[in-house]
Amino acid sequence: MASKGSAKNLSWNRMRRDRGVPRAEKGEPLHGTDMDKSLPQHRVPLAMQQAVLDVFKDAFHQRFDGTLASSIQRIKGHLFHRDFSRAFGQEDSLEAYAVRWSPSRALAYMDLICTTPQLFDLFRGAQHETAMQDISVPGTRVTCLGGGAGAEIVALAGSIHFLCAPDFNAPSTTVDSGSRPARLAIKVIDIANWSSVVEQLDRGVTTIPPGPEFSSLQGALTPNVPLVEHDLFSLTFEQQDILGWEVQSFAQALQGSALVTLTFTLNELYKTSTSKTTNFLLTLTYLTEPGTLLLVVDSPGSYSTVRVGPASSATTEPSEKRYPMQWLLAHTLLETSNLGRSKNAIHQPRWEKVASDESTWFRRSDQLDYPIALEDMRFQYHLYRRI
């Protein structure tokens, strides 16, 4: 007779196969094999995806005016020249960035969470623990490094809602006590002051939507239900340069975290300073607890190539080399962090890669509604577990 664990794995693999997701062999990391493989389309119901878009639309409704297009172009110019202080120096620029880039990313992150077994199980398991624990227990802690634009916030709230109530003809508050939504505590750290954006999205995911704008979609959410209940959701923001972080503050931010995310951040950190970023990752290794998951999402291919070494000049031979971001990440987490290990150093902190894809797509449905055009999203992702 199959054990509960084997039955759970069988059920999971069957669900992934039915969704068109390749099944991993026993003990095999879930690596992507196709150059431009897409995540399964509509793994999360369209109504749930629309609800995520509506959080941004309602939270920043005042931004959808005649000035938005020019604001976006101005931000693009500053980002092209890596002038981050000007790109993110004003509140209207932060909000313009959030309404333009964060919605597509939130949809992709939510789909990634719900199609990656390790992430799916993390929040699914927390959900069942919530049903048995006292409400004062903090719940699953997530630290989002560089997450000020809010995509991770809304994606996590949407994922909790989805994992709690996969039948979207019924609100999450009507599920049985064994499926009570997981408590979620998110800490967002970013070098720019995104506090206002974070506060508005906090209200957006915990407040009843203003109206049934998305009721035309099949399986639409009940309009009087927020993405996540207020008493089950905690969100804090800290403005901090993570490359200049003091270890004590870094440790406090990571304390108890079950998941740490670095989305569209690591490549920029490498471009700022390869040595500081390497030191940051090694410090992260020592400060996280065994079992902690690290999710890195970034641009794919040549968009995430890091230059290492001095540039050539008119009088010197070129000594600069280029490395893929994911290679430097793996080298640091899987090799550098293990240097000096011996038979007596069994507690040396280290990582294992549990899921990875160097190029995948999230493609939007044409049925989704948003005030401005959103693009399909191509990205790479890498999921590590501390052991």
Side-chain angles (χ1 to χ4, degrees):
M1 181 176 180
S3 66
K4 290 183 178 180
S6 62
K8 178 180 179 183
N9 290 335
L10 178 62
S11 175
W12 169 254
N13 282 328
R14 182 181 295 116
M15 181 176 73
R16 286 178 61 82
R17 186 170 64 252
D18 292 343
R19 302 284 185 180
V21 185
R23 183 182 65 181
E25 296 298 325
K26 183 176 180 181
E28 177 187 357
L30 296 172
H31 296 294
T33 55
D34 298 331
M35 179 59 69
D36 281 318
K37 185 180 66 206
S38 297
L39 291 173
Q41 289 194 359
H42 311 320
R43 170 67 179 85
V44 176
L46 286 178
M48 185 71 256
Q49 297 182 45
Q50 184 62 60
V52 164
L53 295 183
D54 286 342
V55 169
F56 291 97
K57 181 172 65 176
D58 296 335
F60 307 109
H61 60 88
Q62 74 281 3
R63 285 291 152 226
F64 297 102
D65 58 18
T67 66
L68 180 59
S70 60
S71 296
I72 291 173
Q73 290 303 316
R74 184 176 66 252
I75 294 170
K76 286 183 177 180
H78 294 324
L79 293 177
F80 179 80
H81 294 290
R82 297 183 55 77
D83 189 347
F84 301 116
S85 62
R86 296 183 68 183
F88 303 128
Q90 298 180 345
E91 185 171 329
D92 61 341
S93 296
L94 296 174
E95 293 183 354
Y97 184 96
V99 301
R100 169 59 180 84
W101 283 280
S102 293
S104 293
R105 292 178 179 179
L107 291 179
Y109 301 161
M110 181 170 63
D111 207 74
L112 182 61
I113 291 171
C114 295
T115 55
T116 304
Q118 294 82 1
L119 296 173
F120 180 97
D121 290 342
L122 172 66
F123 295 105
R124 195 66 162 170
Q127 167 194 337
H128 292 294
E129 290 177 7
T130 297
M132 299 181 290
Q133 293 176 349
D134 184 82
I135 193 65
S136 62
V137 178
T140 302
R141 296 182 180 274
V142 180
T143 300
C144 301
L145 303 176
E152 298 94 312
I153 297 169
V154 184
L156 287 164
S159 299
I160 289 296
H161 193 124
F162 170 73
L163 296 175
C164 166
D167 178 6
F168 284 93
N169 291 306
S172 62
T173 53
T174 65
V175 297
D176 60 42
S177 59
S179 294
R180 181 172 172 78
R183 283 187 297 280
L184 186 62
I186 303 175
K187 187 175 185 63
V188 176
I189 293 98
D190 206 295
I191 192 171
N193 185 9
W194 293 89
S195 57
S196 177
V197 169
V198 170
E199 289 172 5
Q200 292 179 78
L201 291 176
D202 187 9
R203 289 194 296 270
V205 299
T206 58
T207 302
I208 296 174
E213 292 91 346
F214 42 89
S215 60
S216 61
L217 291 175
Q218 184 178 4
L221 297 179
T222 302
N224 62 348
V225 177
L227 279 188
V228 62
E229 299 174 37
H230 189 273
D231 62 344
L232 298 177
F233 187 77
S234 170
L235 178 61
T236 57
F237 173 77
E238 179 181 346
Q239 185 177 4
Q240 183 65 254
D241 177 5
I242 60 178
L243 292 185
W245 225 346
E246 294 182 358
V247 174
Q248 184 176 1
S249 298
F250 198 178
Q252 290 176 350
L254 295 174
Q255 186 175 12
S257 294
L259 172 65
V260 179
T261 66
L262 273 168
T263 61
F264 289 91
T265 297
L266 184 59
N267 189 49
E268 294 300 331
L269 294 181
Y270 273 125
K271 288 181 178 179
T272 300
S273 173
T274 303
S275 60
K276 288 183 179 180
T277 302
T278 300
N279 184 65
F280 156 76
L281 291 172
L282 292 174
T283 304
L284 176 70
T285 299
Y286 279 90
L287 295 180
T288 48
E289 301 172 1
T292 301
L293 294 174
L294 171 63
L295 175 63
V296 177
V297 178
D298 224 305
S299 301
S302 60
Y303 293 104
S304 291
T305 301
V306 182
R307 298 179 179 181
V308 178
S312 60
S313 65
T315 58
T316 61
E317 292 293 326
S319 56
E320 178 185 80
K321 295 183 179 180
R322 298 192 178 196
Y323 296 93
M325 181 210 73
Q326 65 270 23
W327 185 91
L328 290 174
L329 173 66
H331 177 73
T332 301
L333 297 186
L334 302 179
E335 298 180 33
T336 306
S337 63
N338 293 332
L339 292 179
R341 295 186 73 243
S342 65
K343 294 181 180 180
N344 297 323
I346 60 175
H347 297 299
Q348 181 82 7
R350 53 198 177 100
W351 299 87
E352 62 174 347
K353 183 185 286 189
V354 295
S356 181
D357 198 323
E358 294 185 5
S359 179
T360 191
W361 281 93
F362 177 80
R363 303 183 189 278
R364 299 167 300 103
S365 167
D366 292 337
Q367 298 181 55
L368 295 174
D369 177 65
Y370 195 68
I372 61 175
L374 297 176
E375 300 170 352
D376 294 336
M377 180 173 157
R378 180 171 172 252
F379 61 98
Q380 61 174 301
Y381 71 89
H382 311 282
L383 183 65
Y384 290 83
R385 181 192 289 119
R386 260 278 277 116
I387 57 177

